[in-house]
Amino acid sequence: MTGFDHLGFLGFDTFGTVVDWRSGVARSAAPFLDRHGIGVDPFAFADEWRALYQPAMEEVRSGRRPWVRLDVLNGENLRTVLARHGVAVDELPDRELADLNQAWERLDPWPDSVEGLTRLKRRFAIGPLSNGHLAGMMRLARFGGLPWDVIVGAEIARSYKPTPETYLRSAEAVGLPPERVGMVAAHNDDLKAARACGLRTVFVRRPHEHGPAQTTDLAPAERWDVVVDSLTEAANALGCP
């Protein structure tokens, strides 16, 4: 496709774009909630946990807090959500909390993801350009069969998207200028920040990322370079066999 012929790397938002975080977190949370008598719907629990994601990262982005990995933030947020529901968190076994926190590493790919990534990989180097930490991204890839070439993103940059450093240092890490990198995401804000850094943009609609009542990112907010409904459609649009 014109404009993508010179690209050497496609970076992918992962949580929501490549994998279904909501269903996976709810699946891991359900037996934990049941075992401890916590009367919260597992999907509502996943939503509540995820709602703390951006505020926690903003503490780091703003400089109010030194760099810490996403698994640390997720673990702190988990304890916050449990405490909100009257759970005596300090009385829970650490191993149970750690295992539930690793729910973010046991997320199913969307049905089109593995096939689409496999095809895109035939033409481009590919990898997560995610806020996830390296070890978590590795384990998530092994869980879901995601065929990454490399892992870049927040831990490489020691900064969280959508700060420019996350995109620019990721491009530098794969040895390419920003104009030879594409960002693939289901989130308009992610693509807006990537475009401002010189990256090409691919918007993938994921209308059920946040469940059946989703109201955000249902349509492209700008004229992204490519707009598709799946990663297999992205492979078609970018001329990948």
Side-chain angles (χ1 to χ4, degrees):
M1 177 178 177
T2 302
F4 280 73
D5 294 336
H6 71 298
L7 290 193
F9 178 74
L10 289 178
F12 292 78
D13 171 74
T14 305
F15 301 116
T17 301
V18 176
V19 299
D20 176 5
W21 62 264
R22 187 172 188 263
S23 297
V25 170
R27 178 179 62 215
S28 290
F32 177 95
L33 297 171
D34 183 63
R35 186 164 58 250
H36 294 285
I38 304 167
V40 183
D41 175 79
F43 285 97
F45 184 86
D47 292 337
E48 193 173 348
W49 192 358
R50 174 72 175 199
L52 298 178
Y53 178 77
Q54 288 294 341
M57 289 190 294
E58 182 57 26
E59 289 298 301
V60 177
R61 285 191 293 249
S62 68
R64 290 189 294 269
R65 181 176 185 176
W67 164 258
V68 291
R69 299 186 315 268
L70 186 62
D71 60 324
V72 175
L73 298 179
N74 281 341
E76 293 171 352
N77 293 341
L78 171 60
R79 296 173 75 91
T80 297
V81 173
L82 290 170
R84 284 178 181 173
H85 292 282
V87 177
V89 180
D90 291 339
E91 297 178 9
L92 295 175
D94 288 342
R95 66 181 182 279
E96 284 197 58
L97 292 171
D99 180 71
L100 183 53
N101 198 37
Q102 288 172 352
W104 296 95
E105 301 169 6
R106 301 188 296 264
L107 308 175
D108 294 330
W110 295 109
D112 56 272
S113 289
V114 174
E115 179 186 350
L117 291 173
T118 300
R119 290 176 57 198
L120 289 160
K121 182 182 170 82
R122 292 172 186 155
R123 184 175 177 193
F124 308 100
I126 64 170
L129 203 168
S130 167
N131 283 327
H133 64 298
L134 295 176
M137 289 289 98
M138 177 186 69
R139 289 190 283 264
L140 182 60
R142 290 186 62 79
F143 178 86
L146 307 175
W148 304 130
D149 290 302
V150 67
I151 297 170
V152 292
E155 192 171 356
I156 291 287
R158 297 181 71 81
S159 179
Y160 287 112
K161 294 186 300 178
T163 61
E165 292 84 1
T166 314
Y167 306 97
L168 295 174
R169 290 176 185 165
S170 293
E172 181 182 18
V174 297
L176 294 169
E179 61 270 19
R180 293 196 60 204
V181 174
M183 183 73 212
V184 183
H187 310 121
N188 284 287
D189 288 349
D190 199 352
L191 294 179
K192 182 175 181 179
R195 173 179 276 174
C197 292
L199 281 66
R200 302 305 297 267
T201 54
V202 178
F203 179 76
V204 184
R205 292 186 186 89
R206 295 298 192 196
H208 304 296
E209 176 190 354
H210 295 277
Q214 180 167 323
T215 59
T216 57
D217 292 311
L218 297 175
E222 298 186 22
R223 292 177 60 88
W224 307 123
D225 296 309
V226 175
V227 176
V228 292
D229 291 318
S230 68
L231 291 180
T232 49
E233 200 173 299
N236 293 340
L238 296 180
C240 300

